Amino acid sequence: MKFLLVEDNQELANAILSRMGLDGHVIDHATKLEDARAFVATGDYDLILLDIMLPDGDGREFLRQHRASDQDTPVIILTARSQVSDRIGSLDLGADDYVTKPFDHAELEARCRAVLRRKSGIAKTTIEVGGIAFDPVAGSLNIAGKEITLRNRELRLLELFLNAPGQVFSKQKLADRLFSYDDDVSENAIEVYVGRLRRHLQGSSMKITTLRGLGYRLGHDG
C-alpha cells in the first residue's frame, strides 16, 4: 500500500515511517499542508495519515478541501486533542478514523488495516482467487497448498494486482505505487519485480501478461 503521512513532528514521523516500512508500505512524508497538497495532486494514495496542527495551517481544512474535491482516499487523523467535540468534528468533515497521540504503533497499524478493509468492502483479509490464497496483512501467499515467501515489494505488487484483476498497470503507475517520491526507480527495476512475481505465481491459474507499450495485467491463464 502507498500512504501519505502529513506530520511535522520529525521524531514521530520517523517512527511511523520505520514501522510502516517494515510492513512493506511505501510512504511519502509531508511536514506542511503545502507539500501535502502537492503530493496529492501528483500521486495516488491508499491512505492518508493527517496531523491537525501543522506549521502552515489546520489539517482539518486540508481534509475539508480534499473531500470537497470528491477524493475518497481514506484519512486517519493523528492529533493530541482528545476532546469528544474534536473527534466528532473531524469525523463529520470526512475523516475515516481518529487516533489520539500518544498512541501505540500496533494500534495505528490495526486501525489502518480496518479502514482499508472498510474502503474495499472486504470483511476478511485473505484474497482467494485462481488457486491463490493471499493475506496482505500477514504477508503470506499459498499456492496449491505451498507456502511462498515474498519480499516486501513483491508482496505489495501482488496486492496491487489482486485488488484490480484485469486492470492494466503501466510501468510508471507501478513505480508510483511501489516506491516513494524520493526513490530513484528505473523501468528495469519494475521488470525485475514483475518477473519475480510471475515465477511465484507458477502453479496457480493466474498469470501476469505483458501488453506491449501499455504495461501489465493480472488475469486467468488461458
PDB file of all heavy atoms in Angstrom, residues 42-80:
ATOM      1  N   THR A  42      -0.217  15.020  -7.441  1.00  0.00           N
ATOM      2  CA  THR A  42       0.618  14.306  -8.412  1.00  0.00           C
ATOM      3  C   THR A  42       0.681  12.793  -8.187  1.00  0.00           C
ATOM      4  O   THR A  42       1.269  12.084  -8.998  1.00  0.00           O
ATOM      5  CB  THR A  42       2.057  14.862  -8.388  1.00  0.00           C
ATOM      6  OG1 THR A  42       2.591  14.743  -7.063  1.00  0.00           O
ATOM      7  CG2 THR A  42       2.071  16.329  -8.798  1.00  0.00           C
ATOM      8  N   GLY A  43       0.080  12.292  -7.095  1.00  0.00           N
ATOM      9  CA  GLY A  43       0.178  10.856  -6.813  1.00  0.00           C
ATOM     10  C   GLY A  43      -1.121  10.269  -6.307  1.00  0.00           C
ATOM     11  O   GLY A  43      -2.029  10.999  -5.900  1.00  0.00           O
ATOM     12  N   ASP A  44      -1.193   8.954  -6.339  1.00  0.00           N
ATOM     13  CA  ASP A  44      -2.353   8.224  -5.825  1.00  0.00           C
ATOM     14  C   ASP A  44      -1.961   7.532  -4.520  1.00  0.00           C
ATOM     15  O   ASP A  44      -0.901   6.898  -4.439  1.00  0.00           O
ATOM     16  CB  ASP A  44      -2.820   7.164  -6.828  1.00  0.00           C
ATOM     17  CG  ASP A  44      -3.366   7.784  -8.103  1.00  0.00           C
ATOM     18  OD1 ASP A  44      -3.975   8.856  -8.005  1.00  0.00           O
ATOM     19  OD2 ASP A  44      -3.181   7.194  -9.176  1.00  0.00           O
ATOM     20  N   TYR A  45      -2.832   7.644  -3.529  1.00  0.00           N
ATOM     21  CA  TYR A  45      -2.544   7.058  -2.225  1.00  0.00           C
ATOM     22  C   TYR A  45      -3.701   6.178  -1.768  1.00  0.00           C
ATOM     23  O   TYR A  45      -4.863   6.464  -2.061  1.00  0.00           O
ATOM     24  CB  TYR A  45      -2.283   8.166  -1.186  1.00  0.00           C
ATOM     25  CG  TYR A  45      -1.055   8.980  -1.512  1.00  0.00           C
ATOM     26  CD1 TYR A  45      -1.153  10.183  -2.205  1.00  0.00           C
ATOM     27  CD2 TYR A  45       0.213   8.519  -1.169  1.00  0.00           C
ATOM     28  CE1 TYR A  45      -0.022  10.905  -2.542  1.00  0.00           C
ATOM     29  CE2 TYR A  45       1.355   9.234  -1.492  1.00  0.00           C
ATOM     30  CZ  TYR A  45       1.229  10.442  -2.183  1.00  0.00           C
ATOM     31  OH  TYR A  45       2.351  11.139  -2.512  1.00  0.00           O
ATOM     32  N   ASP A  46      -3.354   5.114  -1.045  1.00  0.00           N
ATOM     33  CA  ASP A  46      -4.373   4.235  -0.475  1.00  0.00           C
ATOM     34  C   ASP A  46      -4.897   4.765   0.841  1.00  0.00           C
ATOM     35  O   ASP A  46      -6.029   4.466   1.244  1.00  0.00           O
ATOM     36  CB  ASP A  46      -3.795   2.834  -0.254  1.00  0.00           C
ATOM     37  CG  ASP A  46      -3.362   2.180  -1.554  1.00  0.00           C
ATOM     38  OD1 ASP A  46      -4.245   1.915  -2.399  1.00  0.00           O
ATOM     39  OD2 ASP A  46      -2.158   1.951  -1.734  1.00  0.00           O
ATOM     40  N   LEU A  47      -4.088   5.587   1.521  1.00  0.00           N
ATOM     41  CA  LEU A  47      -4.451   6.081   2.843  1.00  0.00           C
ATOM     42  C   LEU A  47      -3.641   7.333   3.167  1.00  0.00           C
ATOM     43  O   LEU A  47      -2.466   7.427   2.790  1.00  0.00           O
ATOM     44  CB  LEU A  47      -4.178   4.999   3.898  1.00  0.00           C
ATOM     45  CG  LEU A  47      -4.487   5.322   5.354  1.00  0.00           C
ATOM     46  CD1 LEU A  47      -5.991   5.447   5.569  1.00  0.00           C
ATOM     47  CD2 LEU A  47      -3.919   4.237   6.265  1.00  0.00           C
ATOM     48  N   ILE A  48      -4.270   8.279   3.868  1.00  0.00           N
ATOM     49  CA  ILE A  48      -3.587   9.481   4.332  1.00  0.00           C
ATOM     50  C   ILE A  48      -3.629   9.508   5.851  1.00  0.00           C
ATOM     51  O   ILE A  48      -4.696   9.372   6.458  1.00  0.00           O
ATOM     52  CB  ILE A  48      -4.236  10.758   3.771  1.00  0.00           C
ATOM     53  CG1 ILE A  48      -4.142  10.779   2.239  1.00  0.00           C
ATOM     54  CG2 ILE A  48      -3.574  12.011   4.356  1.00  0.00           C
ATOM     55  CD1 ILE A  48      -4.890  11.931   1.588  1.00  0.00           C
ATOM     56  N   LEU A  49      -2.464   9.669   6.485  1.00  0.00           N
ATOM     57  CA  LEU A  49      -2.353   9.873   7.923  1.00  0.00           C
ATOM     58  C   LEU A  49      -2.102  11.360   8.136  1.00  0.00           C
ATOM     59  O   LEU A  49      -1.065  11.885   7.714  1.00  0.00           O
ATOM     60  CB  LEU A  49      -1.207   9.040   8.504  1.00  0.00           C
ATOM     61  CG  LEU A  49      -1.318   7.525   8.285  1.00  0.00           C
ATOM     62  CD1 LEU A  49      -0.034   6.835   8.754  1.00  0.00           C
ATOM     63  CD2 LEU A  49      -2.520   6.965   9.022  1.00  0.00           C
ATOM     64  N   LEU A  50      -3.033  12.048   8.789  1.00  0.00           N
ATOM     65  CA  LEU A  50      -3.052  13.509   8.778  1.00  0.00           C
ATOM     66  C   LEU A  50      -3.021  14.104  10.177  1.00  0.00           C
ATOM     67  O   LEU A  50      -3.941  13.888  10.977  1.00  0.00           O
ATOM     68  CB  LEU A  50      -4.312  13.981   8.041  1.00  0.00           C
ATOM     69  CG  LEU A  50      -4.588  15.486   7.975  1.00  0.00           C
ATOM     70  CD1 LEU A  50      -3.497  16.203   7.176  1.00  0.00           C
ATOM     71  CD2 LEU A  50      -5.961  15.734   7.353  1.00  0.00           C
ATOM     72  N   ASP A  51      -1.979  14.861  10.470  1.00  0.00           N
ATOM     73  CA  ASP A  51      -1.912  15.636  11.703  1.00  0.00           C
ATOM     74  C   ASP A  51      -2.811  16.874  11.553  1.00  0.00           C
ATOM     75  O   ASP A  51      -3.086  17.322  10.433  1.00  0.00           O
ATOM     76  CB  ASP A  51      -0.468  16.057  11.964  1.00  0.00           C
ATOM     77  CG  ASP A  51      -0.271  16.707  13.316  1.00  0.00           C
ATOM     78  OD1 ASP A  51      -1.123  16.507  14.211  1.00  0.00           O
ATOM     79  OD2 ASP A  51       0.732  17.420  13.488  1.00  0.00           O
ATOM     80  N   ILE A  52      -3.252  17.423  12.687  1.00  0.00           N
ATOM     81  CA  ILE A  52      -4.122  18.602  12.631  1.00  0.00           C
ATOM     82  C   ILE A  52      -3.321  19.898  12.696  1.00  0.00           C
ATOM     83  O   ILE A  52      -3.463  20.783  11.855  1.00  0.00           O
ATOM     84  CB  ILE A  52      -5.168  18.561  13.766  1.00  0.00           C
ATOM     85  CG1 ILE A  52      -6.241  17.522  13.451  1.00  0.00           C
ATOM     86  CG2 ILE A  52      -5.821  19.938  13.946  1.00  0.00           C
ATOM     87  CD1 ILE A  52      -7.341  17.443  14.478  1.00  0.00           C
ATOM     88  N   MET A  53      -2.460  20.022  13.708  1.00  0.00           N
ATOM     89  CA  MET A  53      -1.705  21.259  13.901  1.00  0.00           C
ATOM     90  C   MET A  53      -0.404  21.207  13.107  1.00  0.00           C
ATOM     91  O   MET A  53       0.537  20.505  13.475  1.00  0.00           O
ATOM     92  CB  MET A  53      -1.421  21.473  15.391  1.00  0.00           C
ATOM     93  CG  MET A  53      -2.680  21.536  16.248  1.00  0.00           C
ATOM     94  SD  MET A  53      -3.841  22.829  15.698  1.00  0.00           S
ATOM     95  CE  MET A  53      -2.879  24.296  16.063  1.00  0.00           C
ATOM     96  N   LEU A  54      -0.367  21.954  12.008  1.00  0.00           N
ATOM     97  CA  LEU A  54       0.796  21.964  11.124  1.00  0.00           C
ATOM     98  C   LEU A  54       1.321  23.395  10.977  1.00  0.00           C
ATOM     99  O   LEU A  54       0.592  24.360  11.237  1.00  0.00           O
ATOM    100  CB  LEU A  54       0.413  21.381   9.768  1.00  0.00           C
ATOM    101  CG  LEU A  54       0.083  19.874   9.838  1.00  0.00           C
ATOM    102  CD1 LEU A  54      -0.832  19.466   8.707  1.00  0.00           C
ATOM    103  CD2 LEU A  54       1.373  19.062   9.811  1.00  0.00           C
ATOM    104  N   PRO A  55       2.581  23.568  10.578  1.00  0.00           N
ATOM    105  CA  PRO A  55       3.184  24.901  10.548  1.00  0.00           C
ATOM    106  C   PRO A  55       2.432  25.916   9.689  1.00  0.00           C
ATOM    107  O   PRO A  55       2.443  27.113   9.997  1.00  0.00           O
ATOM    108  CB  PRO A  55       4.589  24.637   9.982  1.00  0.00           C
ATOM    109  CG  PRO A  55       4.861  23.212  10.300  1.00  0.00           C
ATOM    110  CD  PRO A  55       3.545  22.512  10.207  1.00  0.00           C
ATOM    111  N   ASP A  56       1.791  25.461   8.622  1.00  0.00           N
ATOM    112  CA  ASP A  56       1.132  26.403   7.718  1.00  0.00           C
ATOM    113  C   ASP A  56      -0.392  26.265   7.730  1.00  0.00           C
ATOM    114  O   ASP A  56      -1.058  26.700   6.786  1.00  0.00           O
ATOM    115  CB  ASP A  56       1.660  26.255   6.294  1.00  0.00           C
ATOM    116  CG  ASP A  56       1.523  24.826   5.756  1.00  0.00           C
ATOM    117  OD1 ASP A  56       1.290  23.913   6.565  1.00  0.00           O
ATOM    118  OD2 ASP A  56       1.644  24.635   4.536  1.00  0.00           O
ATOM    119  N   GLY A  57      -0.956  25.664   8.790  1.00  0.00           N
ATOM    120  CA  GLY A  57      -2.415  25.631   8.848  1.00  0.00           C
ATOM    121  C   GLY A  57      -2.964  24.437   9.601  1.00  0.00           C
ATOM    122  O   GLY A  57      -2.232  23.663  10.225  1.00  0.00           O
ATOM    123  N   ASP A  58      -4.276  24.307   9.509  1.00  0.00           N
ATOM    124  CA  ASP A  58      -5.017  23.262  10.214  1.00  0.00           C
ATOM    125  C   ASP A  58      -5.297  22.098   9.264  1.00  0.00           C
ATOM    126  O   ASP A  58      -5.843  22.303   8.165  1.00  0.00           O
ATOM    127  CB  ASP A  58      -6.337  23.848  10.720  1.00  0.00           C
ATOM    128  CG  ASP A  58      -7.054  22.939  11.705  1.00  0.00           C
ATOM    129  OD1 ASP A  58      -7.081  21.719  11.466  1.00  0.00           O
ATOM    130  OD2 ASP A  58      -7.603  23.451  12.691  1.00  0.00           O
ATOM    131  N   GLY A  59      -4.914  20.898   9.674  1.00  0.00           N
ATOM    132  CA  GLY A  59      -5.119  19.726   8.829  1.00  0.00           C
ATOM    133  C   GLY A  59      -6.573  19.495   8.482  1.00  0.00           C
ATOM    134  O   GLY A  59      -6.888  18.892   7.450  1.00  0.00           O
ATOM    135  N   ARG A  60      -7.486  19.972   9.333  1.00  0.00           N
ATOM    136  CA  ARG A  60      -8.909  19.785   9.059  1.00  0.00           C
ATOM    137  C   ARG A  60      -9.357  20.569   7.831  1.00  0.00           C
ATOM    138  O   ARG A  60     -10.276  20.155   7.126  1.00  0.00           O
ATOM    139  CB  ARG A  60      -9.729  20.170  10.288  1.00  0.00           C
ATOM    140  CG  ARG A  60      -9.597  19.173  11.429  1.00  0.00           C
ATOM    141  CD  ARG A  60     -10.192  19.682  12.703  1.00  0.00           C
ATOM    142  NE  ARG A  60      -9.476  20.861  13.193  1.00  0.00           N
ATOM    143  CZ  ARG A  60      -9.671  21.412  14.377  1.00  0.00           C
ATOM    144  NH1 ARG A  60     -10.565  20.885  15.196  1.00  0.00           N
ATOM    145  NH2 ARG A  60      -8.985  22.464  14.752  1.00  0.00           N
ATOM    146  N   GLU A  61      -8.692  21.682   7.552  1.00  0.00           N
ATOM    147  CA  GLU A  61      -9.008  22.426   6.340  1.00  0.00           C
ATOM    148  C   GLU A  61      -8.558  21.648   5.102  1.00  0.00           C
ATOM    149  O   GLU A  61      -9.242  21.630   4.076  1.00  0.00           O
ATOM    150  CB  GLU A  61      -8.331  23.795   6.365  1.00  0.00           C
ATOM    151  CG  GLU A  61      -8.566  24.660   5.136  1.00  0.00           C
ATOM    152  CD  GLU A  61     -10.036  24.970   4.888  1.00  0.00           C
ATOM    153  OE1 GLU A  61     -10.852  24.866   5.829  1.00  0.00           O
ATOM    154  OE2 GLU A  61     -10.381  25.318   3.740  1.00  0.00           O
ATOM    155  N   PHE A  62      -7.395  20.999   5.221  1.00  0.00           N
ATOM    156  CA  PHE A  62      -6.929  20.119   4.136  1.00  0.00           C
ATOM    157  C   PHE A  62      -7.949  19.009   3.903  1.00  0.00           C
ATOM    158  O   PHE A  62      -8.298  18.692   2.759  1.00  0.00           O
ATOM    159  CB  PHE A  62      -5.567  19.526   4.507  1.00  0.00           C
ATOM    160  CG  PHE A  62      -5.086  18.440   3.578  1.00  0.00           C
ATOM    161  CD1 PHE A  62      -4.343  18.748   2.441  1.00  0.00           C
ATOM    162  CD2 PHE A  62      -5.375  17.099   3.837  1.00  0.00           C
ATOM    163  CE1 PHE A  62      -3.896  17.752   1.590  1.00  0.00           C
ATOM    164  CE2 PHE A  62      -4.934  16.101   2.985  1.00  0.00           C
ATOM    165  CZ  PHE A  62      -4.189  16.427   1.865  1.00  0.00           C
ATOM    166  N   LEU A  63      -8.453  18.420   4.989  1.00  0.00           N
ATOM    167  CA  LEU A  63      -9.444  17.347   4.889  1.00  0.00           C
ATOM    168  C   LEU A  63     -10.722  17.849   4.233  1.00  0.00           C
ATOM    169  O   LEU A  63     -11.282  17.178   3.356  1.00  0.00           O
ATOM    170  CB  LEU A  63      -9.741  16.790   6.277  1.00  0.00           C
ATOM    171  CG  LEU A  63     -10.864  15.753   6.382  1.00  0.00           C
ATOM    172  CD1 LEU A  63     -10.558  14.525   5.531  1.00  0.00           C
ATOM    173  CD2 LEU A  63     -11.061  15.346   7.840  1.00  0.00           C
ATOM    174  N   ARG A  64     -11.172  19.025   4.652  1.00  0.00           N
ATOM    175  CA  ARG A  64     -12.396  19.588   4.075  1.00  0.00           C
ATOM    176  C   ARG A  64     -12.246  19.797   2.575  1.00  0.00           C
ATOM    177  O   ARG A  64     -13.123  19.433   1.790  1.00  0.00           O
ATOM    178  CB  ARG A  64     -12.737  20.917   4.754  1.00  0.00           C
ATOM    179  CG  ARG A  64     -14.091  21.496   4.347  1.00  0.00           C
ATOM    180  CD  ARG A  64     -14.241  22.917   4.807  1.00  0.00           C
ATOM    181  NE  ARG A  64     -13.298  23.800   4.132  1.00  0.00           N
ATOM    182  CZ  ARG A  64     -13.438  24.220   2.885  1.00  0.00           C
ATOM    183  NH1 ARG A  64     -14.487  23.847   2.147  1.00  0.00           N
ATOM    184  NH2 ARG A  64     -12.533  25.021   2.339  1.00  0.00           N
ATOM    185  N   GLN A  65     -11.130  20.373   2.150  1.00  0.00           N
ATOM    186  CA  GLN A  65     -10.886  20.612   0.730  1.00  0.00           C
ATOM    187  C   GLN A  65     -10.746  19.293  -0.026  1.00  0.00           C
ATOM    188  O   GLN A  65     -11.197  19.179  -1.170  1.00  0.00           O
ATOM    189  CB  GLN A  65      -9.628  21.466   0.562  1.00  0.00           C
ATOM    190  CG  GLN A  65      -9.759  22.869   1.111  1.00  0.00           C
ATOM    191  CD  GLN A  65      -8.441  23.630   1.082  1.00  0.00           C
ATOM    192  OE1 GLN A  65      -7.378  23.056   0.840  1.00  0.00           O
ATOM    193  NE2 GLN A  65      -8.499  24.925   1.339  1.00  0.00           N
ATOM    194  N   HIS A  66     -10.115  18.325   0.611  1.00  0.00           N
ATOM    195  CA  HIS A  66      -9.913  17.010  -0.012  1.00  0.00           C
ATOM    196  C   HIS A  66     -11.259  16.349  -0.306  1.00  0.00           C
ATOM    197  O   HIS A  66     -11.484  15.819  -1.402  1.00  0.00           O
ATOM    198  CB  HIS A  66      -9.078  16.139   0.920  1.00  0.00           C
ATOM    199  CG  HIS A  66      -8.582  14.861   0.307  1.00  0.00           C
ATOM    200  ND1 HIS A  66      -7.724  14.838  -0.764  1.00  0.00           N
ATOM    201  CD2 HIS A  66      -8.828  13.561   0.633  1.00  0.00           C
ATOM    202  CE1 HIS A  66      -7.451  13.586  -1.086  1.00  0.00           C
ATOM    203  NE2 HIS A  66      -8.122  12.783  -0.255  1.00  0.00           N
ATOM    204  N   ARG A  67     -12.166  16.386   0.644  1.00  0.00           N
ATOM    205  CA  ARG A  67     -13.482  15.801   0.449  1.00  0.00           C
ATOM    206  C   ARG A  67     -14.325  16.627  -0.518  1.00  0.00           C
ATOM    207  O   ARG A  67     -15.110  16.063  -1.307  1.00  0.00           O
ATOM    208  CB  ARG A  67     -14.210  15.668   1.792  1.00  0.00           C
ATOM    209  CG  ARG A  67     -13.581  14.635   2.727  1.00  0.00           C
ATOM    210  CD  ARG A  67     -13.678  13.233   2.141  1.00  0.00           C
ATOM    211  NE  ARG A  67     -13.133  12.224   3.035  1.00  0.00           N
ATOM    212  CZ  ARG A  67     -12.145  11.399   2.720  1.00  0.00           C
ATOM    213  NH1 ARG A  67     -11.585  11.462   1.520  1.00  0.00           N
ATOM    214  NH2 ARG A  67     -11.719  10.494   3.578  1.00  0.00           N
ATOM    215  N   ALA A  68     -14.158  17.939  -0.503  1.00  0.00           N
ATOM    216  CA  ALA A  68     -14.919  18.805  -1.415  1.00  0.00           C
ATOM    217  C   ALA A  68     -14.557  18.557  -2.868  1.00  0.00           C
ATOM    218  O   ALA A  68     -15.356  18.795  -3.774  1.00  0.00           O
ATOM    219  CB  ALA A  68     -14.698  20.271  -1.065  1.00  0.00           C
ATOM    220  N   SER A  69     -13.337  18.027  -3.092  1.00  0.00           N
ATOM    221  CA  SER A  69     -12.897  17.737  -4.465  1.00  0.00           C
ATOM    222  C   SER A  69     -13.247  16.312  -4.876  1.00  0.00           C
ATOM    223  O   SER A  69     -12.725  15.795  -5.863  1.00  0.00           O
ATOM    224  CB  SER A  69     -11.386  17.949  -4.582  1.00  0.00           C
ATOM    225  OG  SER A  69     -10.676  17.062  -3.736  1.00  0.00           O
ATOM    226  N   ASP A  70     -14.149  15.668  -4.089  1.00  0.00           N
ATOM    227  CA  ASP A  70     -14.641  14.315  -4.382  1.00  0.00           C
ATOM    228  C   ASP A  70     -13.559  13.250  -4.285  1.00  0.00           C
ATOM    229  O   ASP A  70     -13.666  12.197  -4.917  1.00  0.00           O
ATOM    230  CB  ASP A  70     -15.305  14.252  -5.766  1.00  0.00           C
ATOM    231  CG  ASP A  70     -16.595  15.052  -5.829  1.00  0.00           C
ATOM    232  OD1 ASP A  70     -17.269  15.143  -4.786  1.00  0.00           O
ATOM    233  OD2 ASP A  70     -16.913  15.578  -6.905  1.00  0.00           O
ATOM    234  N   GLN A  71     -12.520  13.505  -3.499  1.00  0.00           N
ATOM    235  CA  GLN A  71     -11.490  12.499  -3.255  1.00  0.00           C
ATOM    236  C   GLN A  71     -11.958  11.573  -2.137  1.00  0.00           C
ATOM    237  O   GLN A  71     -12.353  12.033  -1.067  1.00  0.00           O
ATOM    238  CB  GLN A  71     -10.178  13.170  -2.854  1.00  0.00           C
ATOM    239  CG  GLN A  71      -9.569  14.043  -3.936  1.00  0.00           C
ATOM    240  CD  GLN A  71      -9.012  13.234  -5.082  1.00  0.00           C
ATOM    241  OE1 GLN A  71      -8.619  12.072  -4.908  1.00  0.00           O
ATOM    242  NE2 GLN A  71      -8.956  13.816  -6.255  1.00  0.00           N
ATOM    243  N   ASP A  72     -11.939  10.272  -2.380  1.00  0.00           N
ATOM    244  CA  ASP A  72     -12.425   9.327  -1.372  1.00  0.00           C
ATOM    245  C   ASP A  72     -11.303   8.556  -0.693  1.00  0.00           C
ATOM    246  O   ASP A  72     -11.548   7.549  -0.028  1.00  0.00           O
ATOM    247  CB  ASP A  72     -13.424   8.356  -1.989  1.00  0.00           C
ATOM    248  CG  ASP A  72     -12.798   7.467  -3.067  1.00  0.00           C
ATOM    249  OD1 ASP A  72     -11.625   7.710  -3.443  1.00  0.00           O
ATOM    250  OD2 ASP A  72     -13.482   6.537  -3.533  1.00  0.00           O
ATOM    251  N   THR A  73     -10.057   9.026  -0.833  1.00  0.00           N
ATOM    252  CA  THR A  73      -8.942   8.375  -0.153  1.00  0.00           C
ATOM    253  C   THR A  73      -9.190   8.371   1.351  1.00  0.00           C
ATOM    254  O   THR A  73      -9.471   9.418   1.936  1.00  0.00           O
ATOM    255  CB  THR A  73      -7.627   9.131  -0.427  1.00  0.00           C
ATOM    256  OG1 THR A  73      -7.454   9.298  -1.821  1.00  0.00           O
ATOM    257  CG2 THR A  73      -6.445   8.367   0.155  1.00  0.00           C
ATOM    258  N   PRO A  74      -9.113   7.221   2.010  1.00  0.00           N
ATOM    259  CA  PRO A  74      -9.325   7.180   3.459  1.00  0.00           C
ATOM    260  C   PRO A  74      -8.333   8.074   4.196  1.00  0.00           C
ATOM    261  O   PRO A  74      -7.158   8.159   3.818  1.00  0.00           O
ATOM    262  CB  PRO A  74      -9.099   5.710   3.809  1.00  0.00           C
ATOM    263  CG  PRO A  74      -9.347   4.970   2.547  1.00  0.00           C
ATOM    264  CD  PRO A  74      -8.882   5.870   1.448  1.00  0.00           C
ATOM    265  N   VAL A  75      -8.814   8.741   5.251  1.00  0.00           N
ATOM    266  CA  VAL A  75      -7.987   9.648   6.045  1.00  0.00           C
ATOM    267  C   VAL A  75      -8.123   9.288   7.519  1.00  0.00           C
ATOM    268  O   VAL A  75      -9.233   9.188   8.040  1.00  0.00           O
ATOM    269  CB  VAL A  75      -8.396  11.117   5.832  1.00  0.00           C
ATOM    270  CG1 VAL A  75      -7.582  12.036   6.753  1.00  0.00           C
ATOM    271  CG2 VAL A  75      -8.211  11.533   4.376  1.00  0.00           C
ATOM    272  N   ILE A  76      -6.982   9.081   8.186  1.00  0.00           N
ATOM    273  CA  ILE A  76      -6.955   8.889   9.623  1.00  0.00           C
ATOM    274  C   ILE A  76      -6.295  10.114  10.252  1.00  0.00           C
ATOM    275  O   ILE A  76      -5.173  10.474   9.888  1.00  0.00           O
ATOM    276  CB  ILE A  76      -6.184   7.618  10.017  1.00  0.00           C
ATOM    277  CG1 ILE A  76      -6.898   6.371   9.484  1.00  0.00           C
ATOM    278  CG2 ILE A  76      -6.038   7.527  11.539  1.00  0.00           C
ATOM    279  CD1 ILE A  76      -6.178   5.070   9.814  1.00  0.00           C
ATOM    280  N   ILE A  77      -7.006  10.763  11.164  1.00  0.00           N
ATOM    281  CA  ILE A  77      -6.490  11.945  11.834  1.00  0.00           C
ATOM    282  C   ILE A  77      -5.562  11.527  12.968  1.00  0.00           C
ATOM    283  O   ILE A  77      -5.880  10.645  13.767  1.00  0.00           O
ATOM    284  CB  ILE A  77      -7.646  12.805  12.403  1.00  0.00           C
ATOM    285  CG1 ILE A  77      -8.512  13.379  11.269  1.00  0.00           C
ATOM    286  CG2 ILE A  77      -7.102  13.918  13.290  1.00  0.00           C
ATOM    287  CD1 ILE A  77      -7.830  14.441  10.443  1.00  0.00           C
ATOM    288  N   LEU A  78      -4.394  12.188  13.070  1.00  0.00           N
ATOM    289  CA  LEU A  78      -3.458  11.993  14.169  1.00  0.00           C
ATOM    290  C   LEU A  78      -3.379  13.303  14.941  1.00  0.00           C
ATOM    291  O   LEU A  78      -2.990  14.326  14.371  1.00  0.00           O
ATOM    292  CB  LEU A  78      -2.062  11.633  13.641  1.00  0.00           C
ATOM    293  CG  LEU A  78      -1.945  10.501  12.618  1.00  0.00           C
ATOM    294  CD1 LEU A  78      -0.485  10.349  12.179  1.00  0.00           C
ATOM    295  CD2 LEU A  78      -2.454   9.194  13.198  1.00  0.00           C
ATOM    296  N   THR A  79      -3.730  13.292  16.207  1.00  0.00           N
ATOM    297  CA  THR A  79      -3.735  14.548  16.951  1.00  0.00           C
ATOM    298  C   THR A  79      -3.623  14.326  18.441  1.00  0.00           C
ATOM    299  O   THR A  79      -3.972  13.251  18.955  1.00  0.00           O
ATOM    300  CB  THR A  79      -5.021  15.345  16.662  1.00  0.00           C
ATOM    301  OG1 THR A  79      -4.988  16.580  17.378  1.00  0.00           O
ATOM    302  CG2 THR A  79      -6.243  14.557  17.085  1.00  0.00           C
ATOM    303  N   ALA A  80      -3.127  15.354  19.136  1.00  0.00           N
ATOM    304  CA  ALA A  80      -3.033  15.303  20.594  1.00  0.00           C
ATOM    305  C   ALA A  80      -4.347  15.725  21.241  1.00  0.00           C
ATOM    306  O   ALA A  80      -4.515  15.579  22.452  1.00  0.00           O
ATOM    307  CB  ALA A  80      -1.902  16.210  21.070  1.00  0.00           C
TER     308      ALA A  80
END
